[in-house]
Amino acid sequence: MKITSVLYILSNQRCAHDYGTHFLATGLIDALGFENFFDWPEVACLHLPSLSHRDECQIDSDQCWPVKGHTPAAALAVADVAIIAVGITYVNSPAFVHASAVCRWIPQSMPIIGLDMTDEVVDQRSLYEQAAGRRLAAYFKRELPRGATWGIPLPFSYPASRVTQNHHVKEHKVFYWASDQGTGSASFARAALVSSLRQHLPPHVLDVSLTGGQYVSQRGTPEEYHEHMAKSMLGVSYNGAKNWDCNRFWENFAYGLCQVAQRPTIAIPNEPEHGKHCWYVDSPEQVGPAVKMLWEDGTLAREMAQAGHDHFLAHHSSEKRARYLLDHLEATI
């Protein structure tokens, strides 16, 4: 089945930012053309007049797409498939109710796809099928455990188009900015890795910040973040939560950093290789020694950064991730 147009069902909640579904949407637009991509509803954070109009969350995945003003019926008249791109974690949640209402419009002849980009490391296909009111044609899962066969692996991605014009001269520094949310395993891991970095590397090479909250007044804008990221040679990604995947892992590759990262626990098509594309560790305390080793071996760090960036462009940009999804659908439905 050749797919030329999609209906992309999104959250209708305020502050509906989502790295997974929104960055994948940029890839689908690249693959299909904006005229063949129909998001419903047209979420405010994806149709901004300019990035200066972002809300207080200041999230990197916000977009400035033109407003089409289409209805679900108009989209369904031309779409080949419908993709449930809202995170559903329990029955009768706002996301479930919204997706169910939209799916009632969809004719039985049109395949419905489940795109589960939630943090949940469990099979939620049945929730998406209940919302769809039928069996899904495919179920894509971000946090698909290694070896699991109940979903199709689809981790986060990052738009290559955002960084291809980056001409910063890399400084031999280590970059890691993150928010400290105060509680939970992820916050513990962030604090521990920052401590490890400061223990093993001199202060003048560390561009490290652990701030106290999520809002821009506490952590800076995406533009400020990327300005520092783009100029640094080494970066760190360690989620530390029950789920593994995080935007930072793919950002580091996109911006050409040699990165030390938490070893993957999920299935990743064309997974980046340890020692070639990045350096994997198994605890936050291992971050400092690994980064120090790469910082001291500048040649290895530069080679790994380039290999990681090239591998990202070949397999893990939003454009490539969307093509992977479309290829799978076209071969199976």
Side-chain angles (χ1 to χ4, degrees):
M1 175 184 180
K2 181 66 175 176
I3 297 173
T4 61
S5 181
V6 301
L7 170 65
Y8 204 68
I9 304 169
L10 288 170
S11 171
N12 59 354
Q13 302 298 300
R14 183 178 179 274
C15 295
H17 318 280
D18 190 296
Y19 291 121
T21 60
H22 293 178
F23 279 151
L24 181 66
T26 67
L28 289 169
I29 288 171
D30 181 79
L32 301 172
F34 184 68
E35 68 278 9
N36 296 314
F37 177 86
F38 297 90
D39 53 323
W40 182 262
E42 293 184 281
V43 182
C45 64
L46 295 179
H47 296 272
L48 299 169
S50 71
L51 291 179
S52 64
H53 289 80
R54 285 183 302 221
D55 63 23
E56 66 273 18
C57 299
Q58 291 280 308
I59 298 298
D60 185 35
S61 56
D62 291 350
Q63 310 278 346
C64 299
W65 304 336
V67 173
K68 289 181 180 175
H70 56 264
T71 63
L76 289 169
V78 295
D80 299 307
V81 298
I83 300 177
I84 300 176
V86 293
I88 301 174
T89 55
Y90 61 93
V91 174
N92 292 329
S93 65
F96 180 95
V97 172
H98 168 64
S100 298
V102 178
C103 286
R104 284 200 291 270
W105 288 69
I106 299 173
Q108 289 295 316
S109 58
M110 180 176 292
I112 298 179
I113 313 305
L115 178 60
D116 183 354
M117 287 290 191
T118 66
D119 291 343
E120 308 305 313
V121 193
V122 293
D123 183 357
Q124 300 186 134
R125 179 194 292 262
S126 63
L127 286 174
Y128 283 77
E129 291 188 335
Q130 288 181 67
R134 71 182 79 166
R135 184 175 178 81
L136 296 174
Y139 174 64
F140 290 90
K141 179 71 175 179
R142 167 190 163 207
E143 295 286 344
L144 183 72
R146 286 177 179 275
T149 58
W150 43 260
I152 305 160
L154 195 86
F156 276 166
S157 60
Y158 197 83
S161 57
R162 293 194 170 198
V163 291
T164 52
Q165 300 304 311
N166 169 34
H167 299 298
H168 285 289
V169 175
K170 292 286 188 181
E171 299 174 6
H172 206 61
K173 289 191 172 184
V174 181
F175 174 80
Y176 182 75
W177 286 12
S179 59
D180 179 3
Q181 299 168 0
T183 60
S185 58
S187 289
F188 174 81
R190 292 175 184 188
L193 77 84
V194 167
S195 176
S196 183
L197 287 171
R198 289 175 173 159
Q199 179 183 349
H200 290 90
L201 291 122
H204 71 276
V205 307
L206 295 177
D207 185 359
V208 171
S209 174
L210 199 59
T211 57
Q214 295 273 26
Y215 293 116
V216 66
S217 60
Q218 299 162 312
R219 60 169 169 76
T221 66
E223 288 76 23
E224 292 169 329
Y225 179 90
H226 290 138
E227 179 74 15
H228 285 251
M229 173 178 271
K231 291 190 295 186
S232 300
M233 176 59 70
L234 295 111
V236 179
S237 173
Y238 203 102
N239 199 26
K242 182 181 292 186
N243 64 299
W244 175 86
D245 200 13
C246 62
N247 190 54
R248 195 186 317 273
F249 183 70
W250 307 106
E251 265 182 320
N252 282 337
F253 284 131
Y255 280 86
L257 280 75
C258 171
Q259 75 166 316
V260 171
Q262 181 182 8
R263 193 179 307 278
T265 58
I266 64 171
I268 303 175
N270 300 295
E271 180 179 312
E273 296 179 31
H274 172 70
K276 180 179 180 180
H277 304 120
C278 58
W279 194 272
Y280 292 130
V281 295
D282 297 299
S283 73
E285 292 76 15
Q286 293 177 357
V287 168
V291 172
K292 180 182 179 183
M293 178 271 293
L294 292 165
W295 179 74
E296 290 178 342
D297 190 340
T299 299
L300 176 59
R302 285 188 291 272
E303 289 176 351
M304 193 175 292
Q306 187 63 57
H309 181 68
D310 291 344
H311 186 72
F312 162 80
L313 292 177
H315 301 290
H316 298 293
S317 69
S318 298
E319 297 83 351
K320 296 296 184 179
R321 195 73 86 231
R323 190 67 260 170
Y324 163 86
L325 178 144
L326 293 171
D327 287 347
H328 185 93
L329 295 179
E330 290 178 351
T332 58
I333 66 173

